[in-house]
Amino acid sequence: MKSDPHPFADTHLRKRHRRARWFKNLTLFAIGLSISFLFYFLTDMVVKGLPAFQQTYIKVTIHYTTQSQSNPFAALDKSYRKIISRAWYRALPQQMAVNPALLNTQAEVWALADDQVDQYLKGHYHNLKPKERTLVDHLQAKGEVVLKFNALFFSHSDSKIPEFAGLKSAMVGSVLTLFITMVLAFPLGVMTAVYLEEFAIDNRWTQFIEININNLAAIPSILFGLLGLAIFINLFGLPRSSALVGGLTLALMTLPIIIVSARAALRSIPDSIRQAGYGLGLSKLQVVQDHVLPLAFPGILTGSIIGLAHAMGETAPLIIIGMIAFIPDSPDSFTQAATVMPAQIFTWAGMPERAYIEKTAAAIMVLLGVLLSFNGLAIYLRKKFAVKW
Amino acid sequence: MMVFTPKNKIKNHKESLIKSLLIIASTLSILTTFGILFSILFEAIEFFQLKSVWYFLTGSQWTPGRVDSQFGALPIFSGTFMITFIALAVAIPVGLGSAIYMSEYASWQMRDWLKPMLEVLAGIPTVVYGFFAAITVAPLVVTVCESLGLRASFNNALASGLVMGIMIIPLISSLSDDIIRAVPDAQRKASLALGMTHSETIQHIVLPSAMPGIVSASLLALSKALGETMVVVMAAGLRPNLTWNPLEDMTTVTVQIVDSLVGDHAFDSPDTLSAFALGLVLFLVTLVLNIFSLMMIRRFKEKYKINTL
Amino acid sequence: MENKIKVTGLNLWYGDNHALNNVSIDIYKNHITALIGPSGCGKSTFLRCLNRMNDLIRNIRITGDVVIDGKNIYDKDVDEVSVRKHIGMVFQQPNPFPKSIYDNVAYAPLKHGQVKKGQTCDDLVEQSLRRANLWVEVKDKLQQPGTSLSGGQQQRLCIARTIAVQPEVILMDEPTSALDPISTEKIEALMLELKQDYSIITVTHNMQQAARVADYTAFFHLGLLIEYAETETIFINPVQKKTEDYVTGRYG
């Protein structure tokens, strides 16, 4: 063996350093993998969903005739029959009934194209016949086929006709459901947290409650659906598929999240604040109400927004209580049948037509957009109100 | 002279009223747990009056919707465990590795980037993962298998398991990250001062100290994987299939619960009630896992006197 | 008197904060050297320069030479990991690993490949624990966790753990400040025994302790080495006014 060049030379160490680097690279690989999953996933959704924000329209000349009043297909040239949306045809008689002056006139409009034409233009799988394809190509060359921003996606509700399907009823349903959820879960969660942090003495009962809350946070969400089905629907007789039952079920699920974060927020308020309050002769309730809660409020709010985002993405329990019904019109009360955005994603994902894939991905983009802004807001509030005690 | 106000009755009344309200609110969580338990239990009992418990737990034929329907849940349990196993095989190493990198190697600036990214991964709704599994990953698995000369079903268990694993990574990484950082720095310093490399310190000192927390996180992940619904409903199969091959289609407890409750069966038919029997098993198993996990984390916290986790 | 460590022109910056300013000092073999000074004077920082523990802190810059046994430990061809193997360190808070008493002592020698599992390792553990005056108290409970011991015992376990690696220098960062007087006395007695085999450098807040155990004492103030001499000189007849003010308790 070569003699040591200096007292700190250690040939054994080189091997150990190599192993150390290996280990470090292994962990780097792991986090790299997690992050690339995220990017692969997001890219995949955007690539799949982005086309849905545009929809094909075809320039047509409508002939408002008495015949087209009973058979809307007569309003256009016969060759357009397969390439214009059935939904668009269906709306014609209604239009003429509302505005009788249209009779025996002509109009040039952009009509909603059939989903097969839309998919063909976007380069996806389609089942257009060669004849229809040549027609579309021909019209496109003339500039009579264009892709426009798909406003229908936001102004229309679910439909069995893919090009006519939109998110509106699901968005309304989500708002109604989450309203119920937050109205219940926020006050109850904060009250529980206040009780456990400020009033409860550490006895078996309190520990039991604590274990319960932590356990509830980890119970599979589908079981909350079984609870909703058995208690809210079968026992209390509340209307199935309604925003009310959905909101109640989600409230029970969101409660633990709000409690845990509210407790953390309350715990971060130093005891000196409470002592100061008592020193001024305030009662416990006054101290909590006037001093501790306002200081803890940003933290509680942050936790509640995260809880809200969580509830917003939840699907499984809502399937069990029937919130995956086909809802062609937006609900306007809490007891009407409703659906929510993730449930709409679920139903669209199960549809056989190719056009629904991009709809699903687009709905996912909308949902993720909302959720990310919620989370962003929570992070912003956390940073803005971060106080170092 | 000092004057002490006598106890104000109205004020006292108000205080105790509010306090009782707070107590009532706090018992709601217990009501929820018992609500879940009983709403499942009663229907499950009804099911077991119609069908044998023993056959339910050990039988291998699951044939609902027939006159002589049989409810042997073994193939359902096996599918659940297969998919869960794949998910954990992805999530534990990747999640733990990510946590180690974030807590031990990454600089502060890097951490500030990495942590929110994993939070995004955690914030993605399960239905979205389900869509991803069904539309992107499952066909990918089939294509890759074909090029290797293997046959894979479009509802293969591997795709559901992989995606579920990705979904669970942030759960493991964020809990483990908190726990690894809670290991006192004095231990790292002691090891480094003895001439250990950073990686040796992590492997021999930090990780063993953090082990109860890491095990606790893994148990929570297991509980989550067993009860995960959307990914498997959208990407796994409906056919009970007792097999070791992850490329075949398999079904899970949650898939069967959804399937039997979404169809048009009478509510008191064994087909519908079987959902509650499966739900009861799921409830009990996850309950045991959760409580075990909570106990381990509690012990860890007491050991290092942490009250922030 | 043999010179063990020769520090020349050592400077250290934490970001913009010049924490050690041109420190030069000779540390002698088989003696105890105490570093004293008010909080934030740089004595602990200086101590950590001697086994390159400061390398772990981001945003730090070190210039100057720390020559140990004729080799500058900040030379490019020196691995800081092996420096720490040769220069042991004992911390302020006893910090045994959450392992058994036996494993606490055996851990590093096993990993360094200094011993193999079995009789030789058992012997090393016994020898190290004996050397740290802990053997009699723990010989029947070697498999119990190190954290189950009392504070003073834990600190002696940490010393045994350090000795087991067979270092030549032991750095001690206020080793008794977290201990009760009786444990402190035991540690001080141990330090006096250990100096026969090791060169010991200790940081202390407690001037009586420095006076009791140290052969040489260095007084630091605001990152500067103000005075370094035999302990007696520092405490009875210091040259510098600042040293006199400090040792007579006028500030600090």
Side-chain angles (χ1 to χ4, degrees):
Chain A
M1 211 175 105
K2 219 171 68 180
S3 68
D4 288 349
H6 64 78
F8 301 107
D10 186 348
T11 45
H12 188 61
L13 256 176
R14 200 183 301 156
K15 214 165 120 197
R16 281 168 59 197
H17 275 306
R18 201 161 51 226
R19 254 189 257 135
R21 261 197 309 279
W22 241 100
F23 183 74
K24 181 177 174 178
N25 288 339
L26 216 58
T27 63
L28 183 63
F29 177 69
I31 188 116
L33 211 56
S34 314
I35 303 295
S36 15
F37 280 145
L38 179 67
F39 279 105
Y40 176 53
F41 165 82
L42 290 178
T43 321
D44 188 47
M45 285 304 133
V46 171
V47 167
K48 287 204 165 81
L50 217 47
F53 291 104
Q54 288 203 312
Q55 194 72 33
T56 309
Y57 286 81
I58 299 175
K59 196 183 224 173
V60 294
T61 313
I62 319 177
H63 305 272
Y64 294 106
T65 61
T66 33
Q67 198 199 356
S68 60
Q69 211 156 13
S70 52
N71 174 20
F73 292 121
L76 297 188
D77 188 88
K78 221 168 70 191
S79 59
Y80 285 97
R81 179 147 181 183
K82 285 276 183 214
I83 62 169
I84 299 295
S85 166
R86 276 182 299 138
W88 184 86
Y89 277 116
R90 251 189 231 167
L92 276 181
Q94 170 80 28
Q95 205 185 339
M96 290 171 74
V98 172
N99 191 356
L102 286 174
L103 196 64
N104 297 322
T105 59
Q106 287 191 7
E108 223 173 49
V109 296
W110 289 99
L112 183 64
D114 188 77
D115 63 310
Q116 299 297 342
V117 176
D118 187 56
Q119 293 299 300
Y120 168 61
L121 286 182
K122 288 170 184 168
H124 296 311
Y125 172 82
H126 62 91
N127 61 6
L128 287 182
K129 297 201 178 75
K131 199 177 70 184
E132 294 149 10
R133 232 162 41 204
T134 17
L135 175 62
V136 173
D137 291 340
H138 174 67
L139 291 173
Q140 198 180 14
K142 283 203 296 178
E144 295 187 358
V145 176
V146 288
L147 283 165
K148 289 191 194 178
F149 175 69
N150 186 3
L152 280 179
F153 188 66
F154 297 99
S155 64
H156 266 260
S157 298
D158 197 10
S159 167
K160 299 279 184 209
I161 302 169
E163 65 273 20
F164 207 55
L167 257 187
K168 193 181 162 205
S169 61
M171 291 197 281
V172 173
S174 273
V175 171
L176 292 177
T177 308
L178 291 174
F179 177 78
I180 300 270
T181 301
M182 288 323 277
V183 160
L184 287 169
F186 183 74
L188 285 171
V190 174
M191 280 161 80
T192 307
V194 166
Y195 174 71
L196 290 177
E197 275 308 306
E198 305 288 330
F199 290 94
I201 27 174
D202 191 29
N203 56 18
R204 296 219 158 187
W205 177 246
T206 317
Q207 279 176 16
F208 183 57
I209 295 181
E210 268 182 43
I211 290 177
N212 234 296
I213 290 166
N214 288 325
N215 176 49
L216 271 186
I219 270 189
S221 62
I222 190 172
L223 298 180
F224 284 89
L226 293 181
L227 166 96
L229 179 64
I231 301 218
F232 298 137
I233 296 177
N234 287 347
L235 192 66
F236 295 167
L238 296 176
R240 200 178 145 86
S241 308
S242 66
L244 178 63
V245 174
L248 283 169
T249 310
L250 289 184
L252 295 181
M253 282 191 58
T254 317
L255 207 53
I257 302 178
I258 296 184
I259 296 173
V260 170
S261 59
R263 288 189 69 182
L266 289 170
R267 213 177 301 146
S268 73
I269 307 298
D271 241 9
S272 56
I273 300 278
R274 296 179 185 85
Q275 307 294 354
Y278 295 137
L280 290 172
L282 299 181
S283 73
K284 189 154 198 167
L285 190 67
Q286 285 169 322
V287 168
V288 171
Q289 201 176 304
D290 301 341
H291 297 274
V292 179
L293 266 183
L295 285 172
F297 193 71
I300 296 176
L301 202 62
T302 306
S304 304
I305 294 171
I306 288 168
L308 179 70
H310 203 87
M312 191 166 191
E314 197 52 71
T315 325
L318 302 180
I319 293 182
I320 302 293
I321 57 164
M323 286 189 85
I324 41 164
F326 173 63
I327 312 287
D329 296 300
S330 310
D332 42 31
S333 84
F334 292 112
T335 48
Q336 264 179 321
T339 191
V340 291
M341 282 205 273
Q344 187 72 74
I345 289 168
F346 174 63
T347 32
W348 280 351
M351 294 295 233
E353 288 94 342
R354 173 62 181 78
Y356 279 111
I357 290 184
E358 64 175 51
K359 296 267 172 199
T360 315
I364 285 173
M365 284 170 71
V366 173
L367 180 64
L368 284 183
V370 177
L371 292 182
L372 284 182
S373 12
F374 277 7
N375 283 313
L377 181 69
I379 291 171
Y380 169 76
L381 288 175
R382 187 163 59 196
K383 285 238 161 93
K384 179 167 180 194
F385 292 102
V387 184
K388 286 264 175 244
W389 297 103
Chain B
M1 204 185 102
M2 273 191 245
V3 181
F4 296 105
T5 10
K7 282 207 167 195
N8 183 332
K9 272 228 174 111
I10 296 171
K11 202 173 131 197
N12 261 357
H13 209 72
K14 193 184 144 209
E15 296 236 331
S16 58
L17 184 79
I18 288 181
K19 206 175 157 189
S20 345
L21 274 178
L22 294 180
I23 293 176
I24 292 170
S26 72
T27 49
L28 192 73
S29 66
I30 292 172
L31 282 181
T32 310
T33 307
F34 282 97
I36 291 176
L37 177 61
F38 287 120
S39 57
I40 299 169
L41 194 62
F42 286 134
E43 314 287 352
I45 288 172
E46 209 173 313
F47 174 80
F48 290 127
Q49 279 165 350
L50 299 169
K51 300 286 172 183
S52 135
V53 183
W54 183 244
Y55 189 75
F56 174 77
L57 291 175
T58 59
S60 59
Q61 294 298 314
W62 184 271
T63 55
R66 293 199 204 155
V67 187
D68 58 339
S69 55
Q70 282 186 304
F71 292 92
L74 208 56
I76 298 177
F77 296 148
S78 77
T80 309
F81 281 115
M82 172 63 90
I83 291 178
T84 302
F85 176 78
I86 298 170
L88 294 187
V90 173
I92 294 181
V94 177
L96 188 57
S98 305
I100 293 171
Y101 188 81
M102 279 199 299
S103 52
E104 293 284 339
Y105 294 116
S107 65
W108 283 106
Q109 300 93 311
M110 209 163 167
R111 240 184 96 79
D112 275 358
W113 275 102
L114 293 175
K115 216 158 164 137
M117 280 200 197
L118 287 179
E119 274 171 20
V120 169
L121 209 54
I124 295 173
T126 54
V127 66
V128 178
Y129 279 109
F131 179 70
F132 182 62
I135 300 292
T136 306
V137 181
L140 195 69
V141 170
V142 173
T143 321
V144 170
C145 286
E146 258 170 19
S147 67
L148 296 171
L150 294 165
R151 282 249 320 260
S153 152
F154 267 97
N155 292 326
N156 63 73
L158 188 59
S160 312
L162 287 176
V163 172
M164 206 190 273
I166 298 175
M167 195 181 89
I168 292 173
I169 289 171
L171 177 83
I172 302 225
S173 69
S174 100
L175 276 172
S176 307
D177 176 46
D178 288 346
I179 282 153
I180 290 171
R181 284 193 307 139
V183 172
D185 222 25
Q187 285 184 15
R188 290 184 188 87
K189 281 199 185 139
S191 171
L192 291 170
L194 288 170
M196 293 295 135
T197 63
H198 192 177
S199 297
E200 286 165 339
T201 303
I202 297 168
Q203 289 175 63
H204 308 310
I205 303 297
V206 177
L207 289 185
S209 294
M211 203 38 90
I214 294 168
V215 171
S216 163
S218 306
L219 287 178
L220 270 189
L222 173 60
S223 159
K224 174 136 176 163
L226 289 174
E228 168 50 33
T229 308
M230 295 319 295
V231 172
V232 281
V233 165
M234 294 169 82
L238 268 174
R239 182 173 66 107
N241 186 2
L242 198 57
T243 173
W244 287 107
N245 182 357
L247 298 177
E248 284 186 33
D249 59 321
M250 284 179 211
T251 193
T252 72
V253 170
T254 48
V255 171
Q256 290 303 316
I257 293 177
V258 169
D259 186 50
S260 51
L261 289 175
V262 169
D264 295 319
H265 316 286
F267 196 76
D268 52 359
S269 77
D271 294 359
T272 308
L273 291 175
S274 69
F276 290 90
L278 290 171
L280 184 65
V281 175
L282 185 59
F283 178 81
L284 294 176
V285 171
T286 52
L287 183 76
V288 170
L289 288 173
N290 295 347
I291 289 182
F292 206 62
S293 157
L294 289 173
M295 272 163 44
M296 295 202 71
I297 195 84
R298 187 174 258 246
R299 212 181 304 157
F300 177 81
K301 282 198 262 183
E302 275 163 13
K303 188 167 169 191
Y304 293 112
K305 302 187 174 55
I306 305 157
N307 55 8
T308 50
L309 282 183
Chain C
M1 212 159 38
E2 202 181 328
N3 195 333
K4 183 73 186 169
I5 304 177
K6 186 172 182 61
V7 179
T8 32
L10 186 71
N11 281 288
L12 181 145
W13 291 264
Y14 291 115
D16 293 333
N17 176 19
H18 198 172
L20 284 178
N21 193 347
N22 207 17
V23 174
S24 298
I25 191 171
D26 284 350
I27 309 253
Y28 304 108
K29 198 173 177 179
N30 295 358
H31 285 81
I32 297 179
T33 308
L35 311 180
I36 60 169
S39 310
C41 67
K43 56 191 191 299
S44 287
T45 305
F46 175 75
L47 190 75
R48 284 196 302 269
C49 282
L50 302 181
N51 69 341
R52 294 188 61 176
M53 280 298 270
N54 283 329
D55 290 22
L56 304 169
I57 301 166
R58 286 177 222 279
N59 239 333
I60 207 161
R61 200 154 57 84
I62 301 170
T63 62
D65 289 352
V66 177
V67 176
I68 302 180
D69 289 343
K71 178 72 187 170
N72 181 7
I73 59 166
Y74 284 92
D75 274 354
K76 277 218 172 76
D77 60 339
V78 174
D79 187 331
E80 77 272 14
V81 173
S82 83
V83 169
R84 294 184 200 132
K85 197 173 113 185
H86 287 83
I87 320 285
M89 188 167 195
V90 177
F91 297 83
Q92 183 174 1
Q93 287 286 339
N95 54 357
F97 299 127
K99 298 172 179 284
S100 72
I101 293 170
Y102 182 96
D103 288 341
N104 258 286
V105 181
Y107 165 63
L110 281 173
K111 292 295 165 197
H112 286 311
Q114 291 169 318
V115 288
K116 291 253 173 333
K117 264 186 191 153
Q119 193 57 44
T120 49
C121 184
D122 295 351
D123 290 345
L124 177 68
V125 170
E126 179 178 342
Q127 190 195 326
S128 307
L129 285 169
R130 275 190 196 285
R131 204 72 192 77
N133 291 342
L134 191 62
W135 176 250
V136 183
E137 289 154 78
V138 301
K139 65 171 192 255
D140 299 324
K141 47 180 186 181
L142 287 175
Q143 291 313 316
Q144 284 183 20
T147 42
S148 66
L149 299 173
S150 76
Q153 288 174 323
Q154 286 190 13
Q155 194 63 303
R156 275 180 282 147
L157 177 60
C158 292
I159 292 173
R161 179 175 73 182
T162 306
I163 294 171
V165 190
Q166 293 153 17
E168 289 137 48
V169 179
I170 301 177
L171 310 178
M172 296 188 172
D173 192 357
E174 302 192 30
T176 60
S177 68
L179 303 180
D180 60 90
I182 294 173
S183 306
T184 300
E185 207 184 306
K186 285 187 183 164
I187 301 274
E188 285 180 6
L190 179 58
M191 286 166 79
L192 290 171
E193 282 176 41
L194 289 175
K195 78 170 179 181
Q196 291 160 10
D197 301 319
Y198 308 94
S199 313
I200 297 176
I201 304 160
T202 180
V203 164
T204 182
H205 250 114
N206 178 339
M207 275 176 285
Q208 284 82 20
Q209 183 171 63
R212 280 195 300 266
V213 300
D215 304 304
Y216 288 86
T217 297
F219 172 62
F220 281 78
H221 185 60
L222 296 175
L224 288 161
L225 175 61
I226 304 291
E227 192 165 357
Y228 175 51
E230 283 182 30
T231 301
E232 230 166 90
T233 318
I234 291 280
F235 280 93
I236 296 167
N237 194 14
V239 177
Q240 301 289 332
K241 176 82 170 52
K242 271 185 186 154
T243 314
E244 193 185 344
D245 286 350
Y246 183 72
V247 296
T248 52
R250 254 170 248 166
Y251 68 92

